[in-house]
Amino acid sequence: ACAISPKAIVSDACASYSTLERLNRNVKPALDELTQTTDFFSHYRVNLFHKKCPFWNDENGMCGNIACAVETLDNEEDIPPVWRAKELGKLEGPRAQHPGKAVQKQEPVRPLKGKLGEGVGESCVVEYDDECDDRDYCVPEDESATSKGDYVSLLRNPERFTGYAGDGAKQVWDAVYRENCFQRSSFPHYAALGKDTSARGPAAMDFKAVLDAAGRQHVLEQTREHNPLTPFVANTGLEAEDECLEKRVFYRVMSGMHASISTHLCWDFLNQTTGQWQPNLGCYKARLHQFPDRISNLYFNYALLSRAIAKLGPYLTAEQGYTFCTGDPAQDAETREKVLAVTTKAASVPQIFDESLMFKNGEGPSLKEDFRNRFRNVSRLMDCVGCDKCRLWGKLQTAGYGTALKVLFEFDNNDHPEVPILKRTELVALFNTYARLSSSMSAIQKFRAMEEEEENKG
Ligand code: FAD
């Protein structure tokens, strides 16, 4: 009886900020343990370097013209090496190569109804090639590459300030929010683009056309964001418009992800005077505190992921046959125990998010298809991010939200009773995205306390 409907604002009685913060205090230690101490969840396999931005030509630099790219490079040379954006954004530590076919696992057998893991075994570090099925909210990682990806230690490459900013970053964020225009034609969807990279020409043209239209929409959203009447725990204000629920949820997921990235870069910020990594209260105030709707969307995402993780828990038990670390029963048992500690705690607040209200109206099925395609486009946009570390976390988090949506909308689905397979990359992305939100929430609480202290002093 006490669910956050996707319609609801986070301040609704049942799921206040404090309810979610209490849940987070309970879940966070187990989540940190899982993502920081297991091989399975502290590494990610991702194709970071072999895919080009499919929507615009990034060969001339992210801002789209040569002069801009050259200027950026010139400026960089003037900056001491450790402070260069490039240096800050680069990946650290050894990256294992993609294993050859010989050591790859067999494709898992598609499980029977009601089971995620029948016959599914996963190695701790080696994985079979990705393939998406039509119920995925991600894009296939192998769509254009001959080399299938690199293994990255997430612990050695924390999400934090990198200095990536300017036109390149703005172009990506603008494009992400443009995907929210459900009624307008936007980028050609993945299926229309095909796998041939020569399809980029028309995509780039479409992008320009959409830019104009969506530029106006973006300004509109900005205006609403700045509305001083927006209460502290407000919704985006979008419901005042004639807008469907699904579109609002899409916007909130994107905005909440953006808010979480902003929180991490403000929390783990490089003080360029002292060379110390430390929280930057000014950064928090400028990007988050002034925009309560962004914080609300971050909490909304936390509720959404908590629900997905809780729903997934029963599919990951030993009885269901999912194996985390094939060939090492002890490590498998230990990893599972840590996973179940998280899923059980996430389930401790009943019905935290009610996904059953979505895709229910007359347009339901076609909206879902549209929603999924737009989500896939956002995941492809991550290849346009011009900073390795940001691209890594951008890809991981879009994959994490995609997996959460798959669990929410494709499991227990009467139209498709077969439970979809979740691959290792999806599980790792899901739990690490949850961990990102969890640490964002705890950073925001600390920022709030710092801000209050400053207010009291002043
Ligand atoms: P931006 O954050 O670029 O925002 C652009 C515009 O979007 C704003 O002007 C505002 O109108 C709107 N907006 C901002 N936040 C929200 C929100 N939550 N909801 C709705 N609208 C919003 N930088 C790092 O230092 N470390 C990283 O790990 C990192 N990862 C990134 C990952 C991705 C996928 C992208 C695209 C960028 C990443 N960046 C990262 C860059 C960072 O997000 C900012 O783009 C950059 O710091 C410049 O910030 P800005 O103040 O110009 O506004």
Side-chain angles (χ1 to χ4, degrees):
C2 187
I4 296 189
S5 103
K7 275 183 193 160
I9 55 175
V10 172
S11 63
D12 279 357
C14 290
S16 61
Y17 272 21
S18 60
T19 309
L20 294 172
E21 283 165 0
R22 214 170 28 248
L23 175 63
N24 192 35
R25 277 195 293 279
N26 188 15
V27 173
K28 192 169 186 300
L31 191 52
D32 289 346
E33 176 78 14
L34 177 71
T35 51
Q36 291 169 20
T37 69
T38 64
D39 280 350
F40 192 99
F41 285 97
S42 63
H43 292 75
Y44 191 51
R45 215 265 337 246
V46 61
N47 190 338
L48 267 185
F49 304 107
H50 309 288
K51 289 167 125 186
K52 286 191 170 171
C53 172
F55 296 117
W56 56 82
N57 183 356
D58 56 352
E59 278 160 22
N60 292 336
M62 286 301 179
C63 64
N65 73 63
I66 291 168
C68 174
V70 172
E71 207 172 273
T72 310
L73 274 179
D74 284 346
N75 287 344
E76 288 240 338
E77 277 157 18
D78 296 337
I79 304 171
V82 300
W83 290 345
R84 287 180 195 166
K86 248 189 188 161
E87 196 63 24
L88 289 167
K90 85 176 185 208
L91 293 169
E92 276 158 30
R95 276 197 328 266
Q97 290 301 304
H98 185 262
K101 286 264 181 234
V103 285
Q104 288 174 26
K105 295 273 141 211
Q106 290 277 305
E107 275 280 330
V109 180
R110 186 168 283 279
L112 300 172
K113 178 178 179 339
K115 283 208 170 191
L116 172 72
E118 189 115 270
V120 176
E122 303 264 20
S123 150
C124 276
V125 285
V126 178
E127 203 198 356
Y128 49 83
D129 288 343
D130 285 336
E131 261 178 39
C132 270
D133 72 23
D134 58 6
R135 287 198 276 165
D136 283 351
Y137 291 72
C138 73
V139 289
E141 267 297 324
D142 63 346
E143 66 177 291
S144 63
T146 43
S147 165
K148 307 289 185 186
D150 300 281
Y151 288 88
V152 179
S153 159
L154 298 172
L155 298 179
R156 295 188 69 154
N157 295 285
E159 185 189 32
R160 61 182 182 182
F161 175 77
T162 64
Y164 175 53
D167 288 350
K170 188 171 183 328
Q171 191 172 5
V172 177
W173 284 126
D174 283 354
V176 165
Y177 291 114
R178 259 193 312 277
E179 280 301 321
N180 202 42
C181 313
F182 275 56
Q183 75 283 10
R184 288 202 199 103
S185 78
S186 187
F187 295 135
H189 288 150
Y190 172 69
L193 262 176
K195 299 193 177 198
D196 183 351
T197 50
S198 65
R200 275 186 211 132
M205 268 161 49
D206 271 11
F207 168 66
K208 285 211 175 71
V210 172
L211 238 188
D212 296 332
R216 287 198 293 277
Q217 145 102 6
H218 193 67
V219 170
L220 249 183
E221 282 172 9
Q222 290 253 44
T223 314
R224 278 188 222 114
E225 270 191 358
H226 285 90
N227 181 353
L229 298 176
T230 312
F232 179 64
V233 195
N235 203 328
T236 59
L238 290 172
E239 88 252 80
E241 310 294 309
D242 179 18
E243 182 175 56
C244 70
L245 171 63
E246 288 76 8
K247 183 173 164 181
R248 280 182 43 216
V249 169
F250 189 94
Y251 174 80
R252 297 197 79 174
V253 171
M254 296 307 147
S255 170
M257 175 175 83
H258 193 166
S260 179
I261 290 172
S262 302
T263 306
H264 283 114
L265 77 89
C266 294
W267 184 253
D268 213 349
F269 194 87
L270 181 68
N271 179 330
Q272 303 198 0
T273 314
T274 63
Q276 300 288 307
W277 290 92
Q278 57 191 202
N280 180 333
L281 184 60
C283 174
Y284 161 76
K285 286 203 271 190
R287 293 172 190 247
L288 295 145
H289 197 71
Q290 285 186 42
F291 302 99
D293 53 293
R294 295 180 186 175
I295 297 179
S296 168
N297 293 336
L298 191 154
Y299 276 63
F300 177 87
N301 282 3
Y302 186 82
L304 187 139
L305 259 79
S306 298
R307 166 70 184 138
I309 298 258
K311 186 170 176 177
L312 187 59
Y315 294 92
L316 299 174
T317 59
E319 296 72 47
Q320 291 290 329
Y322 195 94
T323 312
F324 290 93
C325 300
T326 46
D328 188 342
Q331 214 178 338
D332 178 47
E334 196 186 321
T335 306
R336 184 189 320 284
E337 199 181 309
K338 291 179 180 177
V339 168
L340 295 180
V342 173
T343 60
T344 312
K345 286 175 195 289
S348 65
V349 177
Q351 289 225 356
I352 195 158
F353 178 91
D354 185 359
E355 71 276 13
S356 70
L357 297 169
M358 284 181 70
F359 307 119
K360 277 286 175 288
N361 61 18
E363 287 184 292
S366 66
L367 263 179
K368 191 169 173 183
E369 179 74 23
D370 199 11
F371 191 97
R372 202 166 27 215
N373 281 332
R374 283 170 194 286
F375 206 89
R376 286 181 189 177
N377 266 355
V378 171
S379 81
R380 303 177 82 233
L381 268 168
M382 294 302 122
D383 285 315
C384 306
V385 173
C387 141
D388 294 348
K389 215 182 276 179
C390 311
R391 191 159 63 252
L392 165 67
W393 286 102
K395 281 182 155 233
L396 181 140
Q397 287 172 86
T398 46
Y401 289 113
T403 307
L405 296 171
K406 187 167 161 179
V407 172
L408 290 177
F409 301 122
E410 310 300 334
F411 283 54
D412 302 338
N413 178 337
N414 291 335
D415 300 332
H416 298 277
E418 221 176 41
V419 177
I421 288 172
L422 286 191
K423 285 171 285 209
R424 173 180 178 261
T425 38
E426 291 176 295
L427 281 177
V428 172
L430 176 65
F431 281 89
N432 274 283
T433 302
Y434 193 36
R436 294 290 75 210
L437 287 166
S438 164
S439 80
S440 288
M441 270 171 62
S442 114
I444 281 174
Q445 285 172 262
K446 289 178 201 151
F447 269 134
R448 248 188 233 141
M450 286 161 70
E451 204 270 337
E452 271 164 31
E453 201 182 305
E454 198 184 72
E455 285 265 296
N456 292 339
K457 270 192 204 151

